[in-house]
Structures are given as C-alpha cells and as structure tokens.
Amino acid sequence: MSDTVDDVAPRARYWPVPILRAVPAAVIAMVITFSSNHSTTYGLVLFGVFAVVEGLVLGLGSLRRLDDPSSRRLAVLQAVVTIVAGVLAFGLADVGLPAFLAIVTVFAVITGVIELVQGVRARRSSPFARDWITVGGLTVVLAIAFLVTPPNYSKDLGGVEHVTGTLDSSIILVGLLGAYLALTAVFHLIAGLSHKWGTTAPTPVSPDGAPHA
C-alpha cells in the first residue's frame, strides 16, 4: 500500500507496536542461540516468557493505537490466545516434549491464521496489512515445521569433524523456535521503523508538478 496523507495518522499511532513486539522475540532468540540447554522444558519456559510479554504488548498496543475496530478485535483475540499459550507453557513445563510440541504448534496455527486473516481483510484499507500477512505466514510455517519434525528423532554426531553428542528432536524444535523468533524480531523492527519514517506526509504538488510554496 502506497504512502498517502491518509496513512500518516495511523502510522504515527501504531509504529511503536511492531517495534515493541520485536523486543521479547529478539531477547528470547538470543537466549536460545547462546544457550547450551536446548531441552524442551527450558524451551517451554522461554516460550512462556515470550508469549506472555508478546501478548501483553500486542493486546495493549492494539487497544490503544489501532484505529480500525475489526483489526483491533482480531489483534486482541490473537493477544489473548498468545497469553494463554504462555501460561500453559509455564504450567506444563515439566511435561517436556509432548507439551512443547502441542502448545507451540497450536499457538502457531491459531495466531498465524488470525494474523493472516487480519492482514487479508485489511489489505485495501490499512498500511499494516502486508506486515500482518507476512508475520502470520511465518507463524504458520513454524507450525508446519513443528508438525513435520519427528518427535522421536535422534542421531549421534560424529563424522569427519568428530563432534560428540546427539542431535535430537528437542534440539531441533527449540532451534526452530529460536529461528522463528529471530526472523519475526527483525521483520517487526524493520516494519516499525518503516512506518515511523512513513509518518511524514508527502509534499503537495501543483498540477504542473512543482511543489507548493
């Protein structure tokens, strides 16, 4: 959607929300990247932290800064689902792999579809529609990645590099979550800054193409 004078007001109000959404995603992505613990119990705790903070940011930000009532309702619904998923992750952290698979997959399917629908419905009226479609699509891809990862996968490392250890489904799934969070964090940051820079109204031009004084 092109930048117009009508886009300036909603962009000026909403641009902090995607930037704030980038913060919990970036922090948890970095924790996963630099941590040697890739157990699903640890993954559930990290996901719980992300989901609760993300849900609060999305819900409060949308209520206060999103003007379109339909998009606002969908965003709040997404926020509620996200917070519930985070609370469940904390409560079922000791269950391990089955809980991690179920909670993250269900979260990704529901919130991904909600954000996709939000973007598709607003594609002719909102400057944020493309952002919602992109993030919703990435979230659905996360769900697909979790569904196709064998829960009993395990492979001993070694080969020419003589690396010791075992690559199992826990390491893969927590790594996939970290990769998803890193991608969405970067996208949210770029989108938020783009909307901030888009809050400057275009200079009116006269019929002969010269800018008005």
Side-chain angles (χ1 to χ4, degrees):
M1 187 172 182
S2 60
D3 296 344
T4 66
V5 175
D6 292 338
D7 293 338
V8 173
R11 286 177 188 269
R13 284 178 57 81
Y14 189 74
W15 71 263
V17 177
I19 290 181
L20 290 174
R21 289 182 69 183
V23 174
V27 170
I28 300 303
M30 287 189 291
V31 171
I32 291 174
T33 300
F34 294 106
S35 174
S36 59
N37 184 355
H38 279 60
S39 69
T40 48
T41 297
Y42 188 52
L44 277 166
V45 173
L46 293 178
F47 173 77
V49 173
F50 157 74
V52 170
V53 178
E54 157 81 359
L56 289 173
V57 168
L58 177 61
L60 293 175
S62 299
L63 281 172
R64 295 182 178 184
R65 294 181 174 272
L66 198 56
D67 297 327
D68 176 52
S70 177
S71 296
R72 185 167 59 244
R73 284 193 295 269
L74 286 172
V76 170
L77 175 60
Q78 180 184 342
V80 171
V81 172
T82 303
I83 293 173
V84 170
V87 172
L88 287 174
F90 285 129
L92 299 175
D94 291 336
V95 177
L97 181 60
F100 188 66
L101 267 172
I103 291 173
V104 176
T105 301
V106 172
F107 153 81
V109 169
I110 296 177
T111 61
V113 169
I114 290 174
E115 198 153 9
L116 273 172
V117 170
Q118 182 183 12
V120 170
R121 291 179 63 175
R123 66 188 184 280
R124 297 183 183 276
S125 59
S126 174
F128 316 114
R130 187 179 300 174
D131 304 340
W132 295 331
I133 291 172
T134 301
V135 176
L138 286 173
T139 309
V140 171
V141 170
L142 174 67
I144 295 171
F146 265 59
L147 288 171
V148 300
T149 301
N152 57 350
Y153 180 85
S154 180
K155 181 180 179 180
D156 292 331
L157 301 175
V160 295
E161 297 179 353
H162 302 290
V163 179
T164 59
T166 302
L167 177 65
D168 58 16
S169 56
S170 173
I171 295 173
I172 294 172
L173 291 170
V174 175
L176 286 172
L177 176 63
Y180 160 78
L181 294 176
L183 285 173
T184 54
V186 171
F187 183 84
H188 282 316
L189 181 61
I190 293 173
L193 292 175
S194 297
H195 292 305
K196 183 181 187 303
W197 296 330
T199 57
T200 302
T203 302
V205 296
S206 62
D208 61 1
H212 288 300

